[in-house]
């Protein structure tokens, strides 16, 4: 998929999300937020197709339960759980170093972990928590695993974004939402960041054999937002009564990670199995470049 075709809003069929294709035997897939929700459902689909799975999550007990479920689905599955706090830069560096050390190859990295917070919180790094978990984790893990992915090429990076990005605008001078904070608008901006990052990373990975695409999984009934109390949390829980089941929400992640139709596509945004034009703000190349530079500076990473 070229920059020109993306800019023109070209839409192409990408296969049937209900009938994913491709053999994953011998391929290693790393999934953040893989111990629950869409991440675990994605892992379950890939387990049945022979992939070696590395799930990243915070809770070890939840991780063991996830492994037990995968083994019920595919008794011979090769799967493990790695514990990490993906909202912290030191946690990201540690897990990336461990993965580089222990995994001979990474064929697919699925950046799936995310959250939404009704009240503004800062991490130990001084980053607003939604921005740290939903955006910076994607940036840092993708870039610290970049060399392993390139060595494993053809390889794919899959970034779980959202249609929630529509209507959002970035203030590059207030990425931490210090001037004004609202849980939903900040979440929207984090999903806009996902798409801007995807497009900029795709441009910089051109010719390496590593593709990177973003997707919208749909409004899915997960544990997303359950960390919030009061009326805010109640509203989220009520809305989930109309949400898609988990298996339906994982289909697009599995599709983009495996389908041969996406072997060459890069920098795309996928909704319901089709490459779709994101918002005008998500197609702003200048903002994508500025966000890239600012993100690397916040992470203490050298320019790549």
């Amino acid at each position: 998929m070229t920059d020109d075709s993306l800019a023109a809003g070209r839409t192409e069929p990408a296969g049937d999300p209900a009938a994913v294709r491709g053999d994953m035997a011998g391929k290693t897939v790393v999934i953040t937020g893989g111990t629950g929700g869409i991440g675990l459902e994605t892992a379950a689909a890939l387990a049945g197709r022979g992939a070696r799975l590395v799930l990243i999550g915070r809770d070890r007990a939840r991780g063991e339960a996830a492994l037990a479920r995968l083994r019920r689905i595919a008794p011979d599955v090769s799967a493990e759980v790695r514990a990490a706090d993906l909202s912290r830069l030191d946690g990201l560096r540690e897990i990336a170093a461990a993965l580089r050390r222990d995994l001979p190859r990474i064929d697919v990295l699925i950046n799936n972990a995310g959250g939404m917070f009704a009240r503004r919180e800062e991490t130990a790094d001084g980053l607003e928590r939604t921005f740290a978990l939903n955006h910076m984790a994607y940036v840092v893990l993708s870039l610290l695993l970049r060399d392993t992915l390139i060595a494993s090429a053809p390889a794919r990076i899959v970034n779980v974004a959202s249609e929630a990005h529509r209507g959002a605008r970035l203030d590059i001078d207030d990425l931490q939402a210090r001037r004004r904070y609202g849980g939903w608008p900040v979440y929207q901006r984090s999903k806009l960041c996902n798409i801007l990052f995807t497009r900029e990373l795709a441009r910089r990975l051109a010719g390496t054999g590593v593709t990177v695409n973003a997707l919208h999984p749909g409004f899915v009934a997960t544990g997303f937002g359950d960390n919030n109390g009061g009326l805010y949390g109640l509203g989220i829980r009520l809305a989930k009564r109309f949400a898609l089941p988990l298996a339906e929400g994982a289909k697009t992640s599995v599709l983009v990670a495996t389908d041969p139709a996406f072997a060459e596509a890069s920098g795309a945004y996928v909704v319901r199995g089709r490459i779709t034009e994101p918002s005008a703000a998500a197609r702003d190349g200048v903002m994508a470049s500025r966000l890239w530079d600012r993100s690397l500076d916040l992470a203490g990473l050298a320019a790549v």
Side-chain angles (χ1 to χ4, degrees):
M1 195 69 176
T2 65
D3 287 340
D4 289 344
S5 60
L6 283 168
R10 180 179 172 189
T11 302
E12 299 178 1
D16 179 1
V20 294
R21 305 183 299 275
D23 184 6
M24 295 299 288
K27 295 188 176 181
T28 299
V29 182
V30 175
I31 308 175
T32 69
T35 60
I38 294 174
L40 178 55
E41 202 68 31
T42 300
L46 295 173
R49 296 171 57 181
R52 177 187 181 186
L53 299 169
V54 180
L55 312 183
I56 302 176
R58 290 188 62 176
D59 189 296
R60 291 186 181 276
R62 194 176 183 187
E64 290 303 315
L67 290 179
R69 182 186 172 199
L70 295 180
R71 289 172 184 141
R72 288 194 297 271
I73 295 168
D76 296 329
V77 67
S78 174
E80 61 179 296
V81 172
R82 300 291 184 104
D85 183 348
L86 299 179
S87 70
R88 296 183 56 136
L89 296 176
D90 57 357
L92 289 163
R93 294 188 189 100
E94 289 170 8
I95 190 63
L99 295 176
R100 290 196 306 267
R101 181 189 67 230
D102 298 338
L103 300 181
R105 61 182 300 113
I106 298 174
D107 298 278
V108 183
L109 168 64
I110 302 178
N111 288 308
N112 165 83
M116 181 170 65
F117 305 91
R119 296 182 179 180
R120 188 179 184 279
E121 303 173 14
E122 286 192 0
T123 68
D125 304 297
L127 301 177
E128 187 277 316
R129 188 170 297 279
T130 309
F131 178 82
L133 180 60
N134 293 11
H135 169 64
M136 290 298 291
Y138 286 29
V139 173
V140 176
L141 202 56
S142 297
L143 296 185
L144 291 182
L145 296 179
R146 177 180 181 271
D147 290 346
T148 303
L149 287 156
I150 291 174
S152 307
R156 306 185 189 193
I157 300 172
V158 179
N159 292 328
V160 178
S162 174
E163 282 285 82
H165 81 278
R166 297 190 187 276
R169 295 290 185 275
L170 282 191
D171 181 349
I172 200 70
D173 296 318
D174 190 29
L175 292 174
Q176 308 312 317
R178 291 190 175 94
R179 296 173 187 163
R180 178 181 296 178
Y181 185 86
W184 177 246
V186 167
Y187 175 77
Q188 288 184 285
R189 290 195 289 271
S190 74
K191 297 292 104 178
L192 174 58
C193 287
N194 291 160
I195 302 174
L196 289 169
F197 170 64
T198 295
R199 292 170 65 89
E200 184 67 13
L201 181 58
R203 186 179 72 82
R204 292 169 183 264
L205 286 176
T208 66
V210 179
T211 62
V212 53
N213 294 295
L215 64 90
H216 168 61
F219 179 48
V220 184
T222 70
F224 175 81
D226 289 350
N227 53 291
N228 298 291
L231 291 176
Y232 199 91
L234 177 61
I236 292 173
R237 288 187 286 275
L238 289 174
K240 288 179 188 178
R241 294 186 178 186
F242 305 96
L244 295 170
L246 279 173
E248 191 70 24
K251 285 180 179 178
T252 305
S253 293
V254 175
L255 184 78
V256 178
T258 66
D259 198 301
F262 287 98
E264 302 298 328
S266 195
Y269 175 59
V270 183
V271 180
R272 297 186 183 89
R274 298 179 67 88
I275 294 174
T276 303
E277 186 178 78
S279 71
R283 304 192 307 272
D284 186 338
V286 172
M287 181 60 77
S289 180
R290 294 181 69 192
L291 177 65
W292 175 277
D293 291 342
R294 188 64 59 88
S295 300
L296 265 61
D297 183 59
L298 289 169
L301 294 174
V304 291

